[in-house]
Amino acid sequence: MNGTQNTAELYLDLLEKVVTNVVYEDAPIPNEWFPEQDFRPENRETGTDWPSVAHTMVGLKRIRNIRTLLDQVVADGVPGDFIETGVWRGGLCIFARGYFKAHGITDRTVWLADSFEGIPVTGDESHPMDQEMALHRSNDVLGVSADTVRENFGRYGLLDDQVRFLPGWFKDTLPTAPVEQLAVLRLDGDLYESTLDALDNLYPKLSTGGFVVIDDYFIPACRKAVDEFREKHGITDEVEAIDDYSVFWRRSA
């Protein structure tokens, strides 16, 4: 490994730790899914807490998964951008932009699709499984404004024209999003409807050899949407586990 490569890897090693804040070990925000009140390294490793300060809640394992997938698409020359649907405080997208900058990649964009208001309020017309979860009750934590996410990017010196925001509900923004081609598609929308909106509109733009990451596959509503989509479109590419909560697959055709 030459000096430039070593510097890039050291930067990304540190960026992983900073966006997850394992450096300063901020206390989590207790909630009905993860009630822990004290920082525990194993929870931040697996993304099983809601950090009070960190810029992502996905945990180190899932950050490293994205790093590995980006390594793969770059090495294989798979064309396209990176997108995350559901970005919270933006930490994982900050990491993706940092990855491109560290490796001198100037022809790939990081897209952030989010309502920037939190989870959609589920009503009588919503999918029954989404109604049952009623995640919008946690929007005081899950709703993060676009301005706050931009400020977070700015703190790392990573807010530039390779970062693009798609603000609004997925059903409104994704059908006409100016995304041409994707190498990595990462879904973190939790709900059945949000997951299907993202897959329906973005999977056709995923390059052969590109990757789909499903952050919330352990949530029954999300899993149902993914399984139905794969069955409908005859997708048989192997689903691989990242941890107990998340999975990915590589598009073969």
Side-chain angles (χ1 to χ4, degrees), residues 3-190:
T4 301
Q5 289 175 315
N6 188 51
T7 300
E9 296 308 310
L10 285 171
Y11 168 73
L12 293 173
D13 289 346
L14 180 59
L15 191 55
E16 288 178 356
K17 295 179 176 69
V18 175
V19 296
T20 55
N21 203 26
V22 297
V23 177
Y24 294 109
E25 301 186 343
D26 58 309
I29 302 170
N31 57 83
E32 63 179 288
W33 299 278
F34 304 119
E36 183 64 61
Q37 299 184 41
D38 299 315
F39 177 88
R40 295 187 183 278
E42 60 270 26
N43 292 342
R44 202 58 58 92
E45 174 82 13
T46 56
T48 49
D49 68 0
W50 287 8
S52 57
V53 175
H55 290 147
T56 181
M57 65 169 69
V58 305
L60 283 166
K61 278 190 175 182
R62 284 173 244 170
I63 286 277
R64 291 171 185 148
N65 166 258
I66 289 299
R67 183 172 174 177
T68 298
L69 301 189
L70 289 171
D71 282 343
Q72 193 70 59
V73 297
V74 170
D76 294 347
V78 178
D81 298 334
F82 174 92
I83 192 169
E84 185 175 37
T85 59
V87 306
W88 197 44
R89 295 173 183 158
L92 193 141
C93 291
I94 289 168
F95 180 84
R97 178 64 191 98
Y99 180 96
F100 292 155
K101 187 166 187 176
H103 291 290
I105 296 169
T106 59
D107 60 348
R108 297 182 192 260
T109 297
V110 175
W111 296 88
L112 292 85
D114 201 293
S115 70
F116 299 103
E117 299 176 26
I119 302 291
V121 175
T122 51
D124 293 340
E125 296 181 358
S126 303
H127 192 278
M129 298 176 82
D130 293 344
Q131 293 181 44
E132 184 178 348
M133 283 195 295
L135 283 174
H136 61 270
R137 294 177 301 187
S138 298
N139 276 349
D140 58 327
V141 175
L142 300 178
V144 180
S145 72
D147 285 344
T148 295
V149 176
R150 287 189 181 94
E151 289 170 7
N152 290 342
F153 268 87
R155 291 171 187 266
Y156 296 82
L158 293 173
L159 184 63
D160 60 17
D161 59 6
Q162 278 180 253
V163 179
R164 300 281 301 275
F165 285 70
L166 296 170
W169 305 117
F170 297 160
K171 64 182 178 64
D172 299 324
T173 61
L174 297 184
T176 58
V179 179
E180 294 182 3
Q181 195 170 29
L182 293 169
V184 178
L185 165 60
R186 188 177 195 281
L187 277 61
D188 194 356
D190 300 274

